[in-house]
Amino acid sequence: MSHIGSEILQAKSILEAGKAVAIPTETVYGLAANAMDADAVAQIFAIKKRPTFDPLIVHTYSLEALKSFVLEIPEAASLLANAFWPGPLTLLLPKKPIIPDLVTSGLERVAVRIPNHPLTLRLLQSLDFPLAAPSANPFGYISPTTAQHVADQLGEDIEYILDGGAASIGVESTIVGWENGIATVLRVGGLSIDAIEKVIGPVQVQSVSSSNPAAPGMLKSHYAPRIPMRAGNITELIKEFSGKKIAVLSFQQAYPTADINYILSESGNLNQAAQRLFAAMRELDNTDAEIILTEFVPAIGLGLAINDRLKRACAEE
Ligand code: AMP
Ligand code: MG
């Protein structure tokens, strides 16, 4: 059974022993291990039951520390890093051989990020290696945004969960790489595309297929509850599924005819909706509803990331 606590020294000693620890970040909780140690990294894949074709994000605390494991930081990448780190932005940069191939699924580039969470930044500073850390959930299921979410699902498999409170952003980082020199968003996430474009100008957004190894992990079905989920016009969907026990996950509006209704943000605030999204999906997935009905939110700011997660949650495997 794992221990939940906020002792950085305890997390540090488990990580130094080559084992995995769950860590808080502002996006979602991560399952972390020494990124320079292939055996430690292998435990992450085993605990999550994550396929090894899905590479991991490496977390560090400074640009100086980053230089020890990436070959170069191109101009546009360093503009973004200076503007948004620590924060919900992941950059794909050419890796040095010191990063094991397991971390990048054999790809030449490593995904890197400086997370914006005080406990985790202090932990990273205290270590002499960076941390590989995907979300701390079983592969394919809803990402965890609290220490308790991690304990509920992986509690038996990890020794320690560093508790840093509820994640403030609530959706995964935005991933940016350069494809033939063009800045490309490979996953929409906690940093809006508008914010990125203000710093480096127009970017392209890659729509990703389920089997494209250049952007692994962007699987069609992901972040998914066990109860089937459908998105669209909620009023219409409620009619379509009448007779079933219905849970509704709505953005702003209440749906009193549903058996259960979780409203993401009564004031229509997309940041609040993102922050509550995964907790809401988990809560509804733990009811005896037969179907979860949801709707897309306005496709601006964090709305893009929310809609992306909702789409994947609704997709069939
Ligand atoms: P997670 O840490 O679970 O949020 O997922 C990390 C995601 O980052 C993966 O599923 C990939 O989509 C992406 N990623 C990580 N490393 C790379 C890489 N080297 N090249 C391309 N995409 C990557
Ligand atoms: Mg994940």
Side-chain angles (χ1 to χ4, degrees):
M1 207 44 208
S2 66
H3 210 82
I4 300 184
S6 50
E7 301 296 329
I8 291 177
L9 281 179
Q10 189 159 353
K12 174 175 152 80
S13 71
I14 298 169
L15 290 163
E16 285 173 342
K19 291 180 280 182
V21 165
I23 57 166
T25 84
E26 80 281 30
T27 59
V28 302
Y29 272 69
L31 182 59
N34 180 350
M36 309 286 201
D37 175 351
D39 291 336
V41 171
Q43 291 174 40
I44 296 176
F45 286 95
I47 294 169
K48 279 182 62 82
K49 302 191 170 62
R50 179 171 173 121
T52 52
F53 63 74
D54 191 1
L56 308 181
I57 296 172
V58 175
H59 296 69
T60 188
Y61 62 93
S62 75
L63 280 173
E64 267 323 291
L66 177 66
K67 285 176 190 155
S68 68
F69 61 90
V70 305
L71 286 175
E72 52 159 347
I73 308 175
E75 173 69 21
S78 96
L79 284 173
L80 290 178
N82 286 321
F84 300 117
W85 278 351
L89 167 71
T90 294
L91 297 173
L92 296 182
L93 299 173
K95 80 175 190 80
K96 286 188 177 166
I98 191 166
I99 296 289
D101 286 335
L102 182 60
V103 170
T104 61
S105 306
L107 299 167
E108 306 277 293
R109 294 183 302 184
V110 59
V112 293
R113 176 166 111 81
I114 301 182
N116 189 15
H117 192 289
L119 270 188
T120 291
L121 282 172
R122 268 160 56 208
L123 173 64
L124 285 162
Q125 267 156 12
S126 77
L127 296 167
D128 56 16
F129 48 81
L131 293 174
S135 50
N137 54 324
F139 181 71
Y141 192 66
I142 305 162
S143 299
T145 53
T146 68
Q148 190 57 49
H149 291 165
V150 181
D152 289 345
Q153 289 195 298
L154 298 179
E156 301 293 321
D157 306 311
I158 38 188
E159 231 172 275
Y160 195 64
I161 301 169
L162 189 62
D163 187 353
S168 60
I169 303 273
V171 290
E172 292 80 357
S173 58
T174 300
I175 302 179
V176 178
W178 281 263
E179 311 296 328
N180 306 314
I182 300 167
T184 306
V185 171
L186 292 143
R187 171 173 77 188
V188 290
L191 181 65
S192 75
I193 293 176
D194 302 345
I196 292 170
E197 291 188 327
K198 279 198 185 108
V199 175
I200 57 166
V203 298
Q204 66 180 16
V205 182
Q206 191 153 304
S207 61
V208 194
S209 74
S210 57
S211 57
N212 175 4
M218 304 305 295
L219 301 172
K220 212 170 124 221
S221 168
H222 214 69
Y223 317 107
R226 293 184 196 88
I227 299 173
M229 188 156 149
R230 287 278 304 274
N233 178 304
I234 291 177
T235 308
E236 297 291 314
L237 287 169
I238 288 177
K239 280 187 215 143
E240 186 182 331
F241 288 95
S242 70
K244 290 211 175 209
K245 180 145 192 185
I246 293 175
V248 163
L249 176 61
S250 55
F251 175 42
Q252 228 185 320
Q253 204 181 311
Y255 289 88
T257 60
D259 299 287
I260 306 151
N261 183 193
Y262 193 118
I263 303 171
L264 284 172
S265 174
E266 278 173 23
S267 64
N269 179 316
L270 289 168
N271 294 348
Q272 182 183 38
Q275 208 249 327
R276 300 179 68 196
L277 177 70
F278 287 139
M281 281 167 55
R282 274 173 190 263
E283 192 173 310
L284 296 181
D285 203 24
N286 286 330
T287 66
D288 59 357
E290 292 164 274
I291 181 96
I292 301 171
L293 304 179
T294 191
E295 62 189 348
F296 295 117
V297 303
I300 47 168
L302 288 200
L304 293 173
I306 295 171
N307 289 343
D308 170 83
R309 305 306 184 267
L310 290 174
K311 253 179 242 158
R312 290 177 206 279
C314 292
E316 317 229 328
E317 311 216 5

